[in-house]
Amino acid sequence: MDPIDLRSDTVTRPSPGMREAMARAEVGDDVYGEDPTVARLERRAAELTGKGAALLVPSGTMANQIAIRALTRPGDVLLAGEGAHVLRYESGAAAGLFGVQIQSIGSGGLFDARDVQRALPVRDVHLAPVTALALENTHNGSGGRVWSCDLLDAVTRVAKERGLGVHLDGARLFNAACAAGEPVARLAAGVDTVAFCLSKGLGAPVGSLLCSDESRIEELRRTRKMLGGGMRQAGVLAAAGLYALDHHVEGLRDDHEDALVLAKGLQEQGLSLSLPETNLVYFRVPEGRSSKVPDAIEFARRARAKDLLIDPTDRHSLRAVTHLDVGRERVLDALDRIRGILD
Ligand code: TLP
């Protein structure tokens, strides 16, 4: 059977058009600031996010860590939503690299202004200062949920009033913009740093952009170098990114519709879930004696035996992600393959 890979939207392969753009890219040494294609991508990213400047980095994780370093000092606390990528999926980088503790606030990944207020300590020498806040839009761990502009505005307003630096982890910011019907710059208004990934729904092989004020960019560039993220003829990667921004933004809408079809199909088969707002479908396998599948690990194993790749996220839950390399037909095919597993 032809494999269907729903583990993540990071699994896409560059299309022939993208490969051609990469092959044609004009390049130079970007550590010397001489790669014209990187410069073009960075200008485009700054414009799209409404910030003064941008920096191409190898990964979303590195973008987040560079931002954390800029907004905190060792010993500080960074506030983030429950299950935030910076807290759960970055190998402890904020603590390991920069001595920053992350405190989770709210529940389900999103939070409101009151959650931020409640987390701020009174001034006391015993307490670690809370100096920064991280937002994640869409929020991965909660099933790709999207922040409303009202909620974003309220949270960034209180953060600013209380002197916190604000970072937006927008690994899937274009998915958020598509679902919210808002420009990316609107979703990034009011934050100090914003990162978005080219290698998720946008279908590029590598790369994230970290965007901020022009005055901050040299400091961010220095941290990128410190982390070994200075790249040389990175124009071949930047060309893929520019191609993705030109050709793959519109298609996110299809990914979201496909995710909804997938979710409804899973629901019909007795799997429990909340309908997705974007392209991430989290679902639970039935628990208890009557269940045909003991847990998510076994579900994933049986799916793999049918050449369907889906990752468990905990003992009873899995995540299936729609993306550029699976269209409606393959989503329906995936549902057929799953049917056999539960019967
Ligand atoms: N997320 C990956 C895994 O790391 C879990 C995925 O498959 O979803 N922020 C968010 C919200 C992310 O979801 C991710 C990737 C990142 C940052 C990190 O991006 P990379 O993988 O480029 O370091």
Side-chain angles (χ1 to χ4, degrees), residues 48-111:
L48 283 164
T49 54
K51 303 294 173 198
L55 199 62
L56 175 65
V57 299
S59 67
T61 300
M62 192 184 285
N64 286 340
Q65 294 306 319
I66 293 171
I68 290 172
R69 153 108 176 174
L71 302 177
T72 58
R73 291 195 308 181
D76 285 359
V77 172
L78 166 78
L79 303 177
E82 201 179 42
H85 199 276
V86 288
L87 175 58
R88 209 169 160 202
Y89 297 114
E90 299 191 3
S91 295
L97 298 171
F98 302 127
V100 172
Q101 318 180 55
I102 302 182
Q103 183 181 329
S104 144
I105 58 172
S107 69
L110 275 50
F111 49 84

Side-chain angles (χ1 to χ4, degrees), residues 7-10 58-64 84-86 89-90 136-141 169-172 197 199-200 207-208 280 282 311 319 321:
R7 288 173 300 171
S8 183
D9 45 11
T10 59
S59 67
T61 300
M62 192 184 285
N64 286 340
H85 199 276
V86 288
Y89 297 114
E90 299 191 3
E136 190 177 308
N137 196 13
T138 67
H139 188 268
N140 180 350
D169 173 357
R172 297 185 177 84
C197 291
S199 59
K200 311 279 172 323
S208 294
L280 310 180
Y282 281 75
D311 269 346
R319 185 186 74 164
V321 184

Side-chain angles (χ1 to χ4, degrees), residues 145-162:
R145 287 177 67 197
V146 181
W147 288 72
S148 71
C149 287
D150 285 349
L151 196 55
L152 278 176
D153 291 346
V155 164
T156 49
R157 195 177 319 117
V158 74
K160 289 289 127 191
E161 280 166 14
R162 304 298 293 262

Side-chain angles (χ1 to χ4, degrees), residues 6-8 283 296 300 304 309-314 317-320:
L6 300 180
R7 288 173 300 171
S8 183
F283 61 95
R304 190 176 271 271
L309 307 185
I310 304 181
D311 269 346
T313 53
D314 63 36
S317 306
L318 298 101
R319 185 186 74 164

